[in-house]
Amino acid sequence: MPSQATEYTPGVPDWSTVHEPTGELFPPIQSKDEWERLKLTDEQVNTFHEQGFLLNVPVLTEEQCDKILDDYKYFMGGSHHPGKNMLYEYHSNQAEDPDNVLVHVLGHWRLTKLFHDLAFHPKIVRAASQLLGDKGENVGVRFWHDQLFAKPAKHGGVVAWHQDYSYWTRTAPMSHLTVHVALDDQVEDNGGLKYIPGSHRWTRNGGKPLPVLDFNFKDMEGIKTILTDEENAQFKPVMGLLKKGECSIHHALSVHGSYGNKSDRPRRAAVVNYFKDGVQSVSEEEMLFSHTSDETAHVNDPRRRCHVPKVIWEICGSKMEGQFFPLVFDPAWVN
């Protein structure tokens, strides 16, 4: 049985203190053979490394999606979880425009068993191990942080084109990836996720990511102003067309984004981010907050950029591990 979660405040468990699945979302993996059956194919691994992303990977059943969506209520429409102060960030509308609403949340894996267990999902972490390794080898994988992106019907906002690692440069080496799990069908008119093939090779100044132009994701096309002529010529978006319960997996430098939701149905997604075991902190900056939210941080507050709170940050040069960076896949489980 999983360990009992330590209480953040009386009666409110903090699930970041449990470093194994609770069993609430999926049954446990019992053998190496079960892990083996979850492997990506060589073709899928090659596609990821060639294109910078992999689409339409089945992860959740419709029933599992609906269970997670029931927990989504804590972050929508004014409902609040009693442990909301554990969140790293909370934006009821990061766009600050009532006609273009983008709900964006980080840290919810600490609040509910379902969001906690999603970070440990066997299909996800098995794939992450292969894709973070060289030539599909199995490597250790640690959880980085999670995100919710919700675009309500008819007035859902955009998520501007960006590279994820642009926000994560306080860690090195760059051995990260992102898993975007669709909790609704994603199509063109409801703001489904799009990718730019090959953009994971776009770097600056000796391998650094493109700079961040808009920390609130509002300037959809702004990235094109800093691309080279060659990069702009290659800027040919591919629509993910994820079905409910499918995920896409993308490289930390893969340029991606999504336009607004003008349909009559919501577009909700749960995102989990990972890094290869051994990644270190390379920042000497001290994080100055325990969380940011609509109530506690101004929209232009630079602290918002960190995407991790002070309590989980390590000193410069130290390995990223501990309570907030659990090992979610150990290669010993399959070797």
Side-chain angles (χ1 to χ4, degrees), residues 25-26 37-41 44 54-62 64-65 118 121-128 130 179-183 185 240-249:
L25 186 61
F26 53 83
R37 288 195 290 270
L38 298 178
K39 281 183 64 175
L40 297 174
T41 65
Q44 287 175 307
L54 183 63
L55 301 176
N56 305 108
V57 179
V59 174
L60 300 175
T61 65
E62 186 160 338
Q64 289 171 323
C65 287
L118 185 64
H121 197 291
K123 292 181 181 178
I124 293 175
V125 300
R126 184 70 178 92
Q130 289 179 267
V179 181
H180 177 104
V181 182
L183 300 176
D185 289 351
L241 293 175
L242 300 177
K243 296 294 186 183
K244 182 176 180 177
E246 290 183 339
C247 79
S248 59
I249 308 173

Side-chain angles (χ1 to χ4, degrees), residues 125-250:
V125 300
R126 184 70 178 92
S129 177
Q130 289 179 267
L131 298 178
L132 287 171
D134 293 329
K135 298 181 180 179
E137 68 174 331
N138 301 303
V139 299
V141 179
R142 290 189 179 273
F143 174 71
W144 180 210
H145 68 79
D146 56 359
Q147 297 168 279
L148 296 181
F149 285 102
K151 301 180 181 186
K154 298 184 179 180
H155 56 277
V158 306
V159 177
W161 299 107
H162 67 283
Q163 293 175 322
D164 286 345
Y165 192 66
S166 297
Y167 299 87
W168 298 343
T169 54
R170 290 175 172 81
T171 58
M174 184 188 65
S175 297
H176 305 60
L177 57 73
T178 297
V179 181
H180 177 104
V181 182
L183 300 176
D184 301 293
D185 289 351
Q186 294 191 11
V187 294
E188 185 77 42
D189 68 346
N190 75 347
L193 193 62
K194 295 185 176 186
Y195 291 102
I196 308 300
S199 56
H200 60 306
R201 301 184 183 92
W202 297 356
T203 60
R204 298 291 186 269
N205 303 320
K208 294 182 179 180
L210 303 174
V212 176
L213 301 181
D214 177 12
F215 282 99
N216 290 310
F217 303 117
K218 293 185 292 185
D219 185 6
M220 187 69 206
E221 307 296 341
I223 194 173
K224 294 180 180 179
T225 66
I226 60 169
L227 298 181
T228 65
D229 290 343
E230 182 180 5
E231 290 165 346
N232 270 308
Q234 296 170 2
F235 203 96
K236 299 176 180 179
V238 170
M239 183 78 214
L241 293 175
L242 300 177
K243 296 294 186 183
K244 182 176 180 177
E246 290 183 339
C247 79
S248 59
I249 308 173
H250 63 261

Side-chain angles (χ1 to χ4, degrees), residues 2 15 21-28 64 67-68 71 112-118:
W15 291 104
T22 70
E24 193 75 12
L25 186 61
F26 53 83
Q64 289 171 323
K67 288 178 68 175
I68 290 175
D71 277 358
T112 82
K113 290 182 179 181
L114 292 173
F115 283 124
H116 170 274
D117 282 10
L118 185 64

